[in-house]
Amino acid sequence: MFSSFSSFSNPFRLPRFLSGSASNAVNIKSVQIHNVETLHEKRARTLKHLLKLNHVNHSLLYHRLLFHNHVPHFLGAAYLMGADSNHLKDVYDQESKELEPWHDSPGEVSTYDWREYLGKHEYQRAYLDFFEDELVLKGYDWRKVLEEYLFKGKAPLINNLIAGIGHPLIHLAYAFEISSREVAMEVLSMASSSYNFLHRYLDDPSYSKPTSNSTRSPLEILCRVRTDKRFDGIFTHEGFEHIGPLFQQRESELLEHWNSWHIADPTRDFEASQLAAAALLVASHKPGGNQYDFYIVHILTTSHAVRILLPLIPTKFHLPLVRQWWLFTLTIYMTQLRPEVRLTAVTDYDRKNKDWDWVNEKALHGEHALDAHYVKALRAMKTAADTWGDDDKFYLKAAVRFAEEFDGWGGFGPLEVASAHQ
């Protein structure tokens, strides 16, 4: 399923300030990078101005600091799929309706104490101010700020990008892909204020242990998790509020499955994980239902983010980032009650000759064109097909089925439903 990547280019690359073994590298070429700061076409100018408008006016976390600002993701996805200036404005207007203005933090953070406030959502503004001050000190080179605060230290922030349901990870990918310093600084603020306990599984090597039943197939492990009776009955409904209790009650069992993925060939095995991500969204969808799982779609969009980032970050972090995504995947799969993945739901699907142009048209002009997660999911599947090839049309079939059947999001627990209406 490999293609020549002839459609991709990589105009810049992060400096290899941290060494890594070539054997641990995922060898894929970068997608095209769009420097919206310097492009002169109207679409790019519109994107640049809307990103800055969001950056100034809207907080990253809102609704009692529980929800995430998706404006950069949605604008970036729409732009990269070919949206014109008017559609970008429509996207911004739609996404900004429920956003909130910035509120002052309880105090400031500095180079001496910035780690002391990690995980405190109310410090999101203080973190943004701090990192933007650092941006000035580094000559407005946002990559140098990321180098300093994302990749360095004993517990680098990159090892906890799955906090906040993976939104810092998705945010980072779009920061690179559209080359936006505003979005890059937002990443650092979001990652810092969303920081949680999941970092320990990447920072502490003692959690990574070989298992006796290892396999290179993520889908095989998901099948094992589905039939693992040790997880039966611990939750009665879906919902992200289960993440903490899951680790409190079944940490060793979850980590057993996490460690059972044997990455022998990083590139090929990452390819298998991307297929699993698409399959999880579409092939676990209950027949006859039109609502897709809101949290499982984040497995796909975070996998897409990893794909964007791997060619641009130090090799040292390739496998940890992929394994971080895998920890996130298992966690969400379990909190969403381990739905069955029926590959035939994709492989046997009749797409009726619909192609990627049809999918793109649905993303930009269909009835759900102003749903951020819908558009990002379609783009993620198209990028996977471009990256690996799609001779059997698995990604295309998955995208067509999703585009045709989608009619909103489900998978929410009662606490999330109640919170959304408060």
Side-chain angles (χ1 to χ4, degrees), residues 73-298:
H73 315 170
F74 197 0
L75 285 173
Y79 171 82
L80 294 164
M81 295 184 82
D84 62 22
S85 294
N86 289 331
H87 185 63
L88 292 175
K89 293 174 183 176
D90 290 341
V91 164
Y92 181 84
D93 290 342
Q94 175 67 24
E95 277 298 293
S96 61
K97 284 180 180 178
E98 63 177 25
L99 297 180
E100 298 174 2
W102 288 101
H103 299 287
D104 290 339
S105 298
E108 295 185 349
V109 301
S110 70
T111 54
Y112 304 103
D113 63 6
W114 72 275
R115 295 194 68 92
E116 294 181 15
Y117 302 97
L118 291 176
K120 296 184 177 182
H121 293 185
E122 66 272 21
Y123 277 83
Q124 60 167 327
R125 180 72 231 191
Y127 272 118
L128 186 64
D129 291 340
F130 167 67
F131 290 120
E132 291 194 325
D133 288 345
E134 292 296 292
L135 181 65
V136 175
L137 294 176
K138 295 188 184 300
Y140 288 91
D141 188 335
W142 57 269
R143 298 177 189 87
K144 288 184 178 179
V145 184
L146 291 184
E147 174 185 338
E148 180 68 28
Y149 290 98
L150 196 64
F151 296 106
K152 289 186 177 180
K154 293 182 179 180
L157 285 181
I158 193 174
N159 283 346
N160 196 218
L161 295 182
I162 57 174
I165 321 177
H167 289 106
L169 179 58
I170 299 168
H171 222 82
L172 180 63
Y174 279 102
F176 274 112
E177 199 167 4
I178 59 179
S179 194
S180 169
R181 67 188 181 200
E182 283 82 12
V183 178
M185 296 304 99
E186 291 170 4
V187 170
L188 292 172
S189 175
M190 186 183 291
S192 298
S193 54
S194 301
Y195 201 75
N196 67 13
F197 71 96
L198 292 172
H199 75 91
R200 70 171 71 114
Y201 303 107
L202 280 301
D203 288 333
D204 185 347
S206 69
Y207 287 106
S208 297
K209 305 172 183 177
T211 63
S212 58
N213 62 340
S214 63
T215 175
R216 293 177 61 187
S217 171
L219 284 172
E220 180 181 341
I221 298 171
L222 292 172
C223 183
R224 293 177 187 173
V225 171
R226 174 171 168 74
T227 58
D228 190 337
K229 295 186 180 301
R230 295 174 295 176
F231 297 99
D232 288 355
I234 57 173
F235 304 125
T236 59
H237 57 79
E238 304 150 308
F240 81 93
E241 74 265 23
H242 297 320
I243 292 176
L246 174 64
F247 281 86
Q248 292 168 3
Q249 299 176 41
R250 296 291 189 276
E251 180 190 65
S252 61
E253 294 86 350
L254 188 155
L255 294 181
E256 176 186 320
H257 289 293
W258 181 52
N259 284 313
S260 67
W261 186 27
H262 175 53
I263 303 178
D265 180 331
T267 304
R268 295 278 181 171
D269 295 336
F270 177 61
E271 177 186 3
S273 76
Q274 289 232 278
L275 187 141
L280 260 173
L281 176 63
V282 182
S284 72
H285 180 57
K286 295 177 182 178
N290 293 326
Q291 288 190 328
Y292 276 76
D293 193 294
F294 178 78
Y295 295 105
I296 287 180
V297 74
H298 287 78

Side-chain angles (χ1 to χ4, degrees), residues 16 37 45 51 76 93 115 124 168 195 226 263 274 323 338 342 358-359 364 412:
R16 296 291 181 169
E37 291 293 331
R45 297 198 314 271
L51 289 172
D93 290 342
R115 295 194 68 92
Q124 60 167 327
Y195 201 75
R226 174 171 168 74
I263 303 178
Q274 289 232 278
R323 297 193 75 237
R338 301 174 292 160
R342 301 169 295 103
W358 180 88
V359 172
L364 295 181
F412 303 104

